[in-house]
Amino acid sequence: MNEVEQLTGIYHETQEGSLCAQHALNNLLQREYFSAVSLADIARVLDEQERSVLGHRTGESENMDDTGFFSIQVLQKALEVFDIELIPYASQHPLAQQARADPQSVQAYICNLREHWLTIRRFGSQYFDLNSISTVPKLVSNTYLQLYLAQLQQSGYSIFIINGHFPPCLADEKLSNNTIDPAYYRSLVERSATTRNDKNKTSTTTASSSSSSAFDDREIQRAIKASEELDNSDDKALQEVLAQSLRDVQGTESSDTLNQKLLEEAIAASLKNDSSEMKKDDATTEPVAKIEPTLEELRQRRLEFYDNKNKSTKTDEPSTSSQ
């Protein structure tokens, strides 16, 4: 029993499949009076009556289907047991006219949109929307009730007035003399929703874990093995990186030494080249210009030249005469 149920005592069935008609009836009567089986029995009886009147022998049921939907005729027939009737809200029935003028004059409503049914009922002096899609009843203020019904009509809902007396229930006993504060109820609903969501997450995780434990074990083992292989490969890769790093450091040191040697050799070669260039320059340097001889010096040189020539001529004569 949740906090909302403890506070209000309201019996509230939540949606299962498409059995919203069943939930709407039980929420209306505040007890599990009807099941899908009992409503299906009523639907089959109605089908037989309709066939006998209309002469139809075969065909699909007009009062139920495989999804769990039941027609308004089934709900009306089910409520006859409690001497309760359904009156269309938009009809010209005196009770319907009274309800449209003063919605609070009616204790409960059943609403239908296509295949969905929901119940609105008053407990004590306050109305609650007992829609089975909601996890807890929704408090509807008296001033908002008429607007709420109008909103349902605009959304396409058919509204039926519940005319009759309900069996006694715990919610009526609790709320007859107690009015719930809307703000407090809203906070209570929010807290209940949070607790329920946490439980759902836990149960979902537990169910998923238990249903796939063997699979998870295999996956975990695979993950561990893959992780180990990855670690080993990472270690090898790391060792290669470290080795390469060491080689790079050593290569850098040897390169520095080699560069130093090359620098020294380059300096020595440069010095040698400078020395050879200096010698080459000395050898190729043009001689210093000599002083031009005087006329006397030229005359003396010319005399010496002729004397030398005469001497050589005299020396050659005896050899010629002897021949």
Side-chain angles (χ1 to χ4, degrees), residues 112-114 150-159:
N112 170 247
L113 177 62
R114 291 186 289 275
Q151 182 180 1
L152 289 174
Q153 280 187 306
Q154 290 178 0
S155 299
Y157 275 87
S158 298
I159 303 174

Side-chain angles (χ1 to χ4, degrees), residues 13-127:
E13 287 185 4
T14 55
Q15 191 76 17
E16 292 182 8
S18 298
L19 299 176
C20 49
Q22 170 193 324
H23 303 318
L25 288 174
N26 291 336
N27 289 341
L28 173 68
L29 301 171
Q30 285 296 286
R31 185 175 174 180
E32 190 178 357
Y33 284 106
F34 299 102
S35 66
V37 175
S38 62
L39 293 178
D41 290 339
I42 295 173
R44 278 190 289 270
V45 171
L46 291 173
D47 287 339
E48 290 296 329
Q49 292 175 351
E50 291 173 0
R51 290 190 186 104
S52 63
V53 173
L54 300 175
H56 296 164
R57 296 183 179 180
T58 59
E60 295 181 356
S61 173
E62 297 291 335
N63 295 292
M64 67 176 180
D65 59 26
D66 295 336
T67 66
F69 169 77
F70 296 99
S71 67
I72 181 63
Q73 289 81 8
V74 173
L75 274 67
Q76 177 66 72
K77 194 68 176 178
L79 290 173
E80 285 181 359
V81 178
F82 298 90
D83 197 20
I84 295 174
E85 64 175 335
L86 299 177
I87 300 173
Y89 180 75
S91 68
Q92 296 302 314
H93 191 284
L95 191 57
Q97 293 178 357
Q98 179 183 345
R100 291 195 297 273
D102 180 15
Q104 297 180 46
S105 63
V106 176
Q107 187 173 0
Y109 299 87
I110 278 186
C111 309
N112 170 247
L113 177 62
R114 291 186 289 275
E115 297 182 354
H116 184 63
W117 296 91
L118 64 88
T119 294
I120 301 172
R121 176 173 169 171
R122 183 180 65 218
F123 300 101
S125 61
Q126 294 176 298
Y127 285 87

Side-chain angles (χ1 to χ4, degrees), residues 207-217:
S208 176
S209 177
S210 60
S211 63
S212 60
S213 59
F215 174 78
D216 288 344
D217 289 340

Side-chain angles (χ1 to χ4, degrees), residues 262-291:
L262 290 175
L263 180 60
E264 293 176 356
E265 292 177 0
I267 294 173
S270 177
L271 292 174
K272 289 180 181 179
N273 289 335
D274 291 343
S275 177
S276 62
E277 288 295 329
M278 290 176 65
K279 292 180 180 179
K280 184 177 180 181
D281 291 342
D282 291 343
T284 58
T285 301
E286 294 182 357
V288 178
K290 295 181 180 180
I291 301 173

Side-chain angles (χ1 to χ4, degrees), residues 186-226:
R186 185 165 52 251
S187 65
L188 188 64
V189 169
E190 293 174 354
R191 185 164 65 248
S192 298
T194 302
T195 303
R196 183 177 56 259
N197 291 336
D198 292 341
K199 289 181 179 179
N200 290 338
K201 289 179 181 179
T202 303
S203 61
T204 300
T205 302
T206 303
S208 176
S209 177
S210 60
S211 63
S212 60
S213 59
F215 174 78
D216 288 344
D217 289 340
R218 291 194 300 270
E219 290 301 311
I220 289 173
Q221 293 300 325
R222 290 178 185 174
I224 292 174
K225 184 178 179 180

Side-chain angles (χ1 to χ4, degrees), residues 138-180:
K138 180 168 65 175
L139 179 62
V140 180
S141 67
N142 294 342
T143 56
Y144 182 62
L145 178 61
Q146 188 167 12
L147 294 175
Y148 191 58
L149 293 173
Q151 182 180 1
L152 289 174
Q153 280 187 306
Q154 290 178 0
S155 299
Y157 275 87
S158 298
I159 303 174
F160 299 90
I161 298 167
I162 308 299
N163 182 32
H165 298 285
F166 301 120
C169 65
L170 178 61
D172 266 335
E173 294 178 7
K174 282 196 169 188
L175 301 177
S176 292
N177 300 317
N178 297 314
T179 301
I180 297 176

